[in-house]
Amino acid sequence: MPQSRVTTIEVPTPTGTISAALAVPDDSGPWPGVVVVHDGFGLSDDIRRNTARFADNGYLALAPDLFSRGSYVRCVRAVLRSMARRSGQAVDDLDAARRVLAGRADCTGRVGIAGFCMGGGFALVMGAKGFDVSAPFYPSIMRDYTFLEGESCPVVASYGRRDPLNIGNAPRLQRTLDRAGIANDVKVYPKAGHSFANDPPAQPILRIAGFGQDADATDDAYRRVFAFFGTHLGDGR
C-alpha cells in the first residue's frame, strides 16, 4: 500500500494556475520526477494512490488536475480535443507540470510521464514533447501512433487483452516504436481488461464490459515500469 503523503499544490500554466497532487519520497533526494496523468474520472483518490506509488518507489510524482477549469463535461471535451490535436491547453498544462518538477531543488531534472486510459494517451503524446520516458497504461481513444516516429522518448506500455477499447493497439504501438528504433517494452496481460491498474467505481458492473482492477497485472506492470524508468530515467530509490 502507498505510504508517501500526498499534498495539493498549485501549478502555474500559460493560462493560470491549476491544482495538482504532489507525492514526495520519504528518503533523501534529489529524485527523478514523474508527471502522472489522470483518466476520465479526473484527479480522484485512485489517481492520488497511484501517484503515491511512484513516490514510494523513489520518484517525485506530480498529478495535475486537467479538469480544473469549468464544468466536467466542458473540461472533458476540451482535454480530449487537446489530446487529439496534440496541442492546446492540456498539453501546455502537462508541460508546465514537467517544468515545475524539473525546476525543484529535490528533482534531478529528469522527468518521465505516466498515465491511465485518457492519461495514457497523453503519456504517449507528451513522450514526443520533452519528457525523458513514457509509461502509458491502456492508452485508449488512440489508434494511430505514427506521430511517435522519430520523436518519442522510450516507452513502457501496458495493455489488457480483454480491453474493448484497445483491440489490436498494443502490437500496433510496438510495430511503430520498433520501426522508429525507439526503446520500448510493450506487454499485453491476457486476463486483464481496461483500467486494470485503477479502482474505478461500480467495478462489478464494469467487469462485465471488460473493465476493472487486476492486482497481479498491476503489480507486474509497475515492476516493469520501475525497471524501465531505472534504465532510462535514473533510479529513484
Side-chain angles (χ1 to χ4, degrees), residues 5-18:
R5 188 168 66 94
V6 180
T7 60
T8 299
I9 68 169
E10 297 296 314
V11 172
T13 80
T15 53
T17 61
I18 59 172

Side-chain angles (χ1 to χ4, degrees), residues 4-230:
S4 298
R5 188 168 66 94
V6 180
T7 60
T8 299
I9 68 169
E10 297 296 314
V11 172
T13 80
T15 53
T17 61
I18 59 172
S19 61
L22 175 69
V24 180
D26 289 333
D27 57 354
S28 59
W31 310 277
V34 178
V35 172
V36 180
V37 194
H38 62 70
D39 53 19
F41 292 107
L43 186 52
S44 61
D45 289 341
D46 174 56
I47 295 300
R48 291 174 184 273
R49 285 191 294 270
N50 278 283
T51 303
R53 188 164 186 161
F54 280 95
D56 289 345
N57 285 270
Y59 295 92
L60 187 65
L62 183 66
D65 184 359
L66 300 182
F67 296 165
S68 288
R69 306 173 179 92
S71 69
Y72 175 79
V73 173
R74 178 184 175 186
C75 285
V76 169
R77 288 175 178 171
V79 168
L80 291 178
R81 186 163 55 246
S82 185
M83 183 175 68
R85 295 174 177 173
R86 300 192 293 278
S87 63
Q89 195 168 66
V91 168
D92 293 342
D93 288 348
L94 293 171
D95 185 62
R98 179 187 62 79
R99 287 186 279 108
V100 164
L101 282 181
R104 286 176 58 110
D106 54 359
C107 182
T108 63
R110 295 183 60 78
V111 181
I113 186 166
F116 307 88
C117 186
M118 177 194 80
F122 273 111
L124 287 173
V125 168
M126 302 306 296
K129 293 181 180 292
F131 283 83
D132 295 300
V133 67
S134 171
F137 288 75
Y138 30 87
S140 58
I141 323 176
M142 182 175 294
R143 297 184 64 81
D144 180 10
Y145 299 118
T146 55
F147 69 92
L148 297 171
E149 294 179 353
E151 292 188 291
S152 178
C153 63
V155 175
V156 50
S158 303
Y159 292 84
R161 191 175 301 281
R162 296 179 179 177
D163 182 351
L165 303 181
N166 272 304
I167 298 173
N169 281 354
R172 186 177 295 110
L173 174 63
Q174 183 158 23
R175 285 195 298 270
T176 300
L177 296 173
D178 287 345
R179 185 167 58 244
I182 298 166
N184 69 85
D185 173 3
V186 180
K187 183 171 181 176
V188 179
Y189 293 93
K191 296 182 180 180
H194 193 75
S195 69
F196 68 76
N198 295 115
D199 186 15
Q203 281 214 50
I205 297 174
L206 290 175
R207 287 185 188 282
I208 299 173
F211 292 69
Q213 197 171 48
D214 185 306
D216 290 340
T218 299
D219 288 344
D220 187 73
Y222 269 110
R223 177 193 59 77
R224 292 173 38 250
V225 167
F226 294 134
F228 198 83
F229 276 25

